[in-house]
Amino acid sequence: MRKTFLILLFLCCTFINAQISFEKGYFISNDGKKTECLIKNLDWKNNPTDFKYKFPIDGDDSKTETIANVQEFGIDNTVTFKRAKVKMDRSSDDLGKLSETGQPVWEENNLFLRLLVQGEATLYSFREGNLIRYFYETKSTPLEQLVHLRYILTKDGKSTGDLKENNYYKQQLNNNVRSANTTDSDIENIKYKKSDLTRYFLKYNNTDNKTKNGVLSKTSEDHFLLKITPGISFISGSMNDGDTPLKDVNLDSKSSFKIGLEAEYLLPYNKNKWSLFLNPVYQNYQTSKQYSRPGPFTGSPATTRNIDVKYTSIQVPIGLRYYFLINSNSKVFINAAYSFDINGKASLSFDKNVELESKSGSNFAFGAGYNFKNKFSAEIRTNTKKQLLGDFNTISLEYKAIDLVFAYSIF
């Protein structure tokens, strides 16, 4: 199992690296010269300080440019970064490190800002780990940060423990990015996050008399999917009754229908190729077996024994998934999950008399599948062995399954 896992991990890393490609783009150097080239698209989560580029005739040879030499670069119809010397507040948002003054602490830096909306009012973003800041500019307002920070209220020099927010960005928008159609509630309801701010700037640019269009730079978005997941399990297992520890009884293979729901969260970077998923599924398995076991002494006749196995649970795989993009509609994926049971209950009966009951154990699952338009998918998922009678030491009942899982996205 360890070797199999290492092989899968190696293949996963290899495929991930292969998915990072050079795409048509450009950069503008300090002297204003624009160079058309291919840029390595890392779908940056954090704002970069450099990038790799090459020309089609260069083959696999690439070069690196840095923020010191480039004032702007971008990948066509995907993302644009512009260099700017700006004052930025780096106040922490961690509860244990919050400001006690409620005022920004400015640091001046040269940064590549990501262009989000372009128009009469332009919006940019900067991200570095958990630090997220937004910047804006208009024809009459130079580039500056939209100010928002949380702080702890103090009184007489001592912390009161009360959590407050400095929402000065709303005043900045009211003063500098407000049209005749903007209401006070429009500004008051804006949260300091990308979706709210981009929506507001696009609306402003589209309704302002001086401009007809706002341009939104395409970036990966976080996305939540809820799916119905019917499927079929192909089940096998084995039992050892403790009296004959060297002899396992192989249970008959069976198939079983299962139904569940899957919640999937597409992570907002690397072109939404990574996701987290939770897939609770109801399953019901029953089987019977007749087998012979040797007598207690040498030469004693064998006896026949009948067993009945019952197992029901809500199985909950929780895991990580990675997509390999084929085209705009199709992609394949691999995933790995830790699987546990809710209300998992197993029983083993001998000759309709002695019955053993136990809570079921946990296991791991690995899968691969195909997804079409984030709407339909099919997956083959293999599950490692699960011990169904974990409450007993002298008897074991192992369960393993290969699942064929179909999924349909509700939204």
Side-chain angles (χ1 to χ4, degrees), residues 358-374:
S358 174
K359 294 181 179 178
S360 55
S362 58
N363 65 314
F364 292 94
F366 303 92
Y370 170 78
N371 181 289
F372 181 69
K373 290 186 174 180
N374 276 342

Side-chain angles (χ1 to χ4, degrees), residues 238-250 291-296 305 350 393-398:
S238 63
M239 187 275 298
N240 189 293
D241 69 7
D243 292 336
T244 54
L246 298 180
K247 182 179 179 181
D248 286 335
V249 178
N250 293 320
Y291 69 100
S292 297
R293 67 173 188 169
R305 204 170 196 182
F350 291 95
N393 295 323
T394 59
I395 191 167
S396 68
L397 182 59
E398 290 185 339

Side-chain angles (χ1 to χ4, degrees), residues 159-217:
S159 173
T160 65
D162 293 334
L163 184 62
K164 299 291 184 179
E165 291 189 17
N166 179 344
N167 290 321
Y168 183 64
Y169 71 94
K170 296 181 180 181
Q171 186 64 51
Q172 291 171 284
L173 296 178
N174 184 67
N175 293 342
N176 304 314
V177 191
R178 178 165 182 161
S179 67
N181 297 329
T182 305
T183 65
D184 290 343
S185 61
D186 289 338
I187 295 177
E188 188 58 35
N189 292 330
I190 297 174
K191 295 180 181 179
Y192 196 79
K193 61 181 185 178
K194 183 169 68 174
S195 58
D196 281 30
L197 290 169
T198 52
R199 189 182 304 114
Y200 180 83
F201 273 73
L202 284 171
K203 181 179 179 182
Y204 173 84
N205 287 336
N206 284 328
T207 57
D208 191 278
N209 292 329
K210 297 179 181 180
T211 184
K212 298 297 182 181
N213 294 296
V215 180
L216 177 63
S217 178

